[in-house]
Amino acid sequence: MNIFKMTNTSVRWAFNFTKWNPSHSDMLLASSCVQTEEKDRLSRFYFRKDFKSSLIGRLMMRKFVCQASGKKYDEIKFLRDDKGKPMLFESNTYPNLDFNISHQGDYVVLAGECSNVKLGVDVMKLEYSGGKSLDEFFRLMTKNFSPEEWVMIKSSGTEKQQIAMFCRHWCLKESYVKAIGVGITINLQDIRFKVNTSVLDKNFIVDDTELYIKGMKVNWKFQEMLLDDQHCVAVALNDTSNMNLVFREIDFSELMEGCVPFLPRDEQYCLNYFRKCERP
C-alpha cells in the first residue's frame, strides 16, 4: 500500500454561515466543488440555512484534506460510513488523518488532525427555544445526564447560566460519541463529565474537564471554548498530549482558496437555491 506523506497540520476552523449571503457567482462556484451525490443531497433541503451549513461543511472537509495530504482538490472523494459520518474514500492511504465537522446555531466547525489521533467535534448555541418550562424540559432530559451532572447544571446560577451549562455538557457528550463513532445510541448517563473550569472564554482553550465512563476515569482530552457569546464548541481527543488550538473563523474567500471545480457550473441548480426560504 502506498502511504502518502502527511503534513503536521492541525486545524480548528469556524464558519459563521449566517454572515454569508452568497451571490449567484458564489453559489455557482461552491456547488461545482462538491460531489454529485453531495449536490443531490443538498438540493433536498427545504431552507437555505440548512443548505448553506451543509455545503460549507463539505467544502471545509475538502479544503482540510487537500491542505493536509497534498492530494489534488478535484481528486478528493468522500463516502459515509454505516453511521452516516463522512469519511475519506482512501482513508487507509491516509492512516494518520482524522477530521470531524458539526453545525448548529450560526456556525459550521471543523477539527482536523494529522497526528494519528481519534477526534470528534460539536458546536452548540447556548439557548433553549422549546415551548415547555425549563424545569419541564430538564425533567424530560433526565436520562441523558448523570446525577452529578445535573447538580452542576442546576447549580450554575440564573436560568440563562443553567441553559449554557446544559448545552456545554451536551456538546461534550456529542464530541465524545462522535469521536468513538457510535452517535447518540449509547446510555448517556454512563458518560459523565466533571467540569473543573465553570466559565468558558473566547480567547483560550479550557482543557481540564474530566471524563468518567461508568464511574471510571478515562484518559481523553477535551478542548472547549466559546466562538462568541452564544456558541460553545468542544473537541474530544484520545491523545492528552495534543496541543491546544483556538478555533479560527474563516470566510468564504479563504474557504475557496485553491479550489478546483470538478462539476459543470449549474445555473438551474443555483436558481433553485435562491427560490428557497431562508429559514422557518
Side-chain angles (χ1 to χ4, degrees), residues 134-153:
L134 188 61
D135 285 343
E136 176 63 9
F137 173 67
F138 282 172
R139 185 188 69 79
L140 294 172
M141 297 296 288
T142 297
K143 65 180 181 180
N144 295 308
F145 298 91
S146 70
E148 295 90 344
E149 288 173 323
W150 278 120
V151 169
M152 185 68 185
I153 292 168

Side-chain angles (χ1 to χ4, degrees), residues 15 20 28 48 53 97 111 126 165-166 197 213 226 250 276:
F15 189 107
W20 181 47
L28 279 174
R48 286 189 199 177
S53 63
L97 184 150
L126 306 176
M165 188 59 75
F166 172 91
T197 300
I213 305 293
L226 294 178
I250 64 173
K276 296 177 186 288

Side-chain angles (χ1 to χ4, degrees), residues 80-190:
R80 289 180 183 267
D81 64 15
D82 57 0
K83 302 289 194 306
K85 179 181 176 181
M87 59 182 292
L88 189 60
F89 174 66
E90 299 169 305
S91 56
N92 291 337
T93 309
Y94 302 93
N96 294 332
L97 184 150
D98 198 14
F99 59 88
N100 197 222
I101 59 170
S102 176
H103 49 86
Q104 205 270 333
D106 300 340
Y107 284 90
V108 185
V109 296
L110 178 142
E113 292 287 342
C114 300
S115 52
N116 200 29
V117 300
K118 187 180 291 185
L119 65 81
V121 66
D122 197 62
V123 60
M124 284 286 292
K125 190 168 186 179
L126 306 176
E127 66 174 5
Y128 169 60
S129 56
K132 303 180 187 301
S133 70
L134 188 61
D135 285 343
E136 176 63 9
F137 173 67
F138 282 172
R139 185 188 69 79
L140 294 172
M141 297 296 288
T142 297
K143 65 180 181 180
N144 295 308
F145 298 91
S146 70
E148 295 90 344
E149 288 173 323
W150 278 120
V151 169
M152 185 68 185
I153 292 168
K154 292 181 178 180
S155 64
S156 295
T158 66
E159 186 171 285
K160 182 178 180 180
Q161 290 169 324
Q162 290 181 46
I163 292 168
M165 188 59 75
F166 172 91
C167 292
R168 181 178 172 186
H169 276 77
W170 190 264
C171 196
L172 284 162
K173 295 198 183 216
E174 282 271 15
S175 71
Y176 175 68
V177 298
K178 289 173 73 177
I180 63 175
V182 297
I184 304 292
T185 59
I186 58 178
N187 186 350
L188 293 181
Q189 281 190 329
D190 290 340

Side-chain angles (χ1 to χ4, degrees), residues 238-256:
N238 69 342
D239 182 353
T240 57
S241 66
N242 196 271
M243 72 173 187
N244 290 335
L245 195 63
V246 173
F247 275 81
R248 182 173 66 83
E249 187 169 338
I250 64 173
D251 59 17
F252 184 70
S253 176
E254 182 177 352
L255 179 63
M256 302 310 291

Side-chain angles (χ1 to χ4, degrees), residues 2 55 73 108 190 194 198 203 222 230 244:
N2 181 26
L55 172 61
Y73 190 94
V108 185
D190 290 340
K194 181 175 181 289
S198 59
N203 300 310
F222 294 87
Q230 294 184 304
N244 290 335

